[in-house]
C-alpha cells in the first residue's frame, strides 16, 4: 500500500483568490504574485508567475503544431504569506468580528483586506 503524498492539509486556507501573496520559501522565494486558483482539499494555491513549469504538448487535431507551453503549477499554501501592498511587506492575517460579521485584516497595518 502506497503512503499518502500529502502529510498535512489545513482546515481552512489563509489566502483567497485575488490576494497578493509573497513567497517565503522555495525556488521563487522573495517574489510576489496574485492568487489565481485555490485548492482547499489539497492545501495548495496557484500564484500568477510563481512555480512556472514547462509542459510539452503532443500534436492533436485541434492543435496540429503541438509545442512547449509554460504555466504556473500549484504550491503549498504554507509557502506563501499575504502581502500588504500599503505597508510594502508580508503580513499575517488576523480575523475580527465587526457588527456581527467576520472580517480579515492585516496584522502589520491593521487595514481590512
Amino acid at each position: 500500500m502506497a503512503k499518502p503524498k500529502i502529510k498535512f492539509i489545513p482546515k481552512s486556507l489563509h489566502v483567497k483568490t485575488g490576494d497578493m501573496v509573497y513567497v517565503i520559501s522555495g525556488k521563487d522565494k522573495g517574489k510576489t504574485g496574485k492568487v489565481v486558483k485555490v485548492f482547499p482539499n489539497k492545501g495548495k494555491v496557484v500564484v500568477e508567475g510563481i512555480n512556472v513549469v514547462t509542459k510539452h504538448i503532443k500534436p492533436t487535431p485541434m492543435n496540429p503544431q503541438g509545442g512547449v507551453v509554460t504555466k504556473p503549477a500549484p504550491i503549498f499554501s504554507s509557502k506563501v504569506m499575504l502581502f500588504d501592498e500599503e505597508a510594502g511587506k508580508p503580513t499575517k492575517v488576523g480575523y475580527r468580528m465587526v457588527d456581527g460579521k467576520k472580517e480579515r485584516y492585516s496584522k502589520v497595518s491593521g487595514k481590512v483586506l
Side-chain angles (χ1 to χ4, degrees):
M1 184 146 88
K3 290 184 180 179
K5 290 183 180 181
I6 300 172
K7 294 183 179 178
F8 174 74
I9 298 173
K11 289 180 183 174
S12 64
L13 300 182
H14 61 287
V15 291
K16 293 182 177 183
T17 304
D19 286 347
M20 280 297 286
V21 293
Y22 177 83
V23 181
I24 56 176
S25 70
K27 68 177 185 176
D28 293 319
K29 180 179 179 179
K31 293 182 182 178
T32 59
K34 189 176 265 192
V35 176
V36 178
K37 196 167 185 181
V38 178
F39 300 101
N41 297 344
K42 296 181 179 179
K44 292 186 175 191
V45 293
V46 176
V47 183
E48 193 174 84
I50 305 295
N51 196 26
V52 177
V53 296
T54 57
K55 185 173 181 174
H56 296 268
I57 305 296
K58 276 178 126 178
T60 62
M62 288 174 60
N63 183 11
Q65 193 67 26
V68 181
V69 177
T70 58
K71 65 176 194 171
I75 58 172
F76 278 105
S77 63
S78 61
K79 290 182 177 252
V80 297
M81 198 170 185
L82 202 72
F83 190 75
D84 192 344
E85 294 180 52
E86 292 176 10
K89 51 183 160 179
T91 179
K92 288 187 176 181
V93 181
Y95 298 94
R96 61 183 168 208
M97 296 297 285
V98 175
D99 298 327
K101 290 190 176 184
K102 188 177 180 182
E103 71 177 14
R104 299 188 317 153
Y105 72 97
S106 166
K107 292 270 191 165
V108 171
S109 64
K111 304 265 180 166
V112 177
L113 299 172

